[in-house]
């Protein structure tokens, strides 16, 4: 046992091997949630008003893609990340907002480990590459996203 | 003039040519903003507590990368998007969280048009590809992101 592994850390780098999967959600998004997020971060009319949403390509009051992405992050936290020796993430390889997320939609999905490798440049830390997918209640893919997350090894050397 | 161009729409597809630039920010991020966003979307300890942040690779109470991305979106809205005939975006090609964003940091930056083309599949709509960069008050790059945005043409044919 390493003293670096906190009691809350159920998952370390070794827990994540290609094919490891976690279920995400469900989360039902309300009109008010959509409007509140949009007012702060993305005040385009289709994210603020039902009428403008219906007149747009999105077809209704629709969540900002950034909100759907943030909801994905919350689902990842709840599914495993808050019990993981996570050290943050360097970014997102891509995020595809494949279908509109409309008020009242229920989102659920999964994430899967694509690859995992210890970092030569950061002893004791590994990089785990994930693919995340969220679907609505009609099983339409609404978000596909891939990103790497830094995770501590269970028995690792600490950087000086 | 097309009736499709609303009075508020200062910018249409034709406004965006490679090299067109807009300034973004500034925005100073507070500890409370970081904690509030994290509590909702990314409750990892380094985004919730100064002590945990200092003990992490991030070096202090640090914003979730998703929050920095959402702040970028708000800056884009304020700089030009709310005056643009925007039709939403299909996603993000990549987002790189290059340096930590710590409580008290002041972010500013710019975005630049990389390419623009009308869509054969959606008459009257064009796709404008942007590169966005945000820097902190020490001129360190904290976020680099590229994404395409759908924008209506000034005089366009509407899809049936």
């Amino acid at each position: 046992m390493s003293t670096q592994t906190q009691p809350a850390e159920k998952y370390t780098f070794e827990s994540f091997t290609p094919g490891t999967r976690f279920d995400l959600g469900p989360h039902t998004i309300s009109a008010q949630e959509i409007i509140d997020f949009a007012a702060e971060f993305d005040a385009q009319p289709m994210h603020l008003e039902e009428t403008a949403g219906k007149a747009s390509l999105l077809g209704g009051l629709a969540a900002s893609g950034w909100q759907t992405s943030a909801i994905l992050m919350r689902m990842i936290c709840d599914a495993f990340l808050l019990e993981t020796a996570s050290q943050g993430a360097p970014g997102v390889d891509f995020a595809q907002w494949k279908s509109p997320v409309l008020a009242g939609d229920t989102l659920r999905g999964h994430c899967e480990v694509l690859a995992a490798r210890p970092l030569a440049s950061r002893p004791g830390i590994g990089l785990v590459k994930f693919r995340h997918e969220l679907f609505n209640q009609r099983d339409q893919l609404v978000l596909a996203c891939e990103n790497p997350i830094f995770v501590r090894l269970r028995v690792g050397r600490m950087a000086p």
Side-chain angles (χ1 to χ4, degrees), chain A residues 88-104:
Chain A
V92 179
D93 291 347
F94 65 80
Q96 298 169 335
W97 303 321
K98 303 289 280 185
S99 303
V101 172
L102 302 179

Side-chain angles (χ1 to χ4, degrees), chain A residues 43-89:
Chain A
Q44 297 184 80
M46 62 277 203
H47 304 318
L48 283 174
E49 301 158 15
E50 177 75 24
T51 309
K54 283 194 170 150
S56 78
L57 294 179
L58 301 176
L61 178 67
S64 167
W66 293 108
Q67 182 175 17
T68 309
S69 304
I71 289 170
L72 167 67
M73 186 65 208
R74 171 59 183 261
M75 289 177 174
I76 293 169
C77 283
D78 290 344
F80 66 92
L81 199 63
L82 298 187
E83 296 180 296
T84 295
S86 165
Q87 294 289 294

Side-chain angles (χ1 to χ4, degrees), chain A residues 21-35:
Chain A
R21 277 170 75 106
F22 297 88
D23 289 332
L24 301 176
H27 177 78
T28 300
I29 190 166
S30 69
Q32 196 59 53
E33 265 180 281
I34 290 174
I35 292 166

Side-chain angles (χ1 to χ4, degrees), chain A residues 99-121:
Chain A
S99 303
V101 172
L102 302 179
D105 278 357
T106 297
L107 306 182
R108 69 185 80 221
H110 49 254
C111 61
E112 181 169 332
V113 175
L114 299 181
R117 63 182 172 84
L119 291 175
S121 59

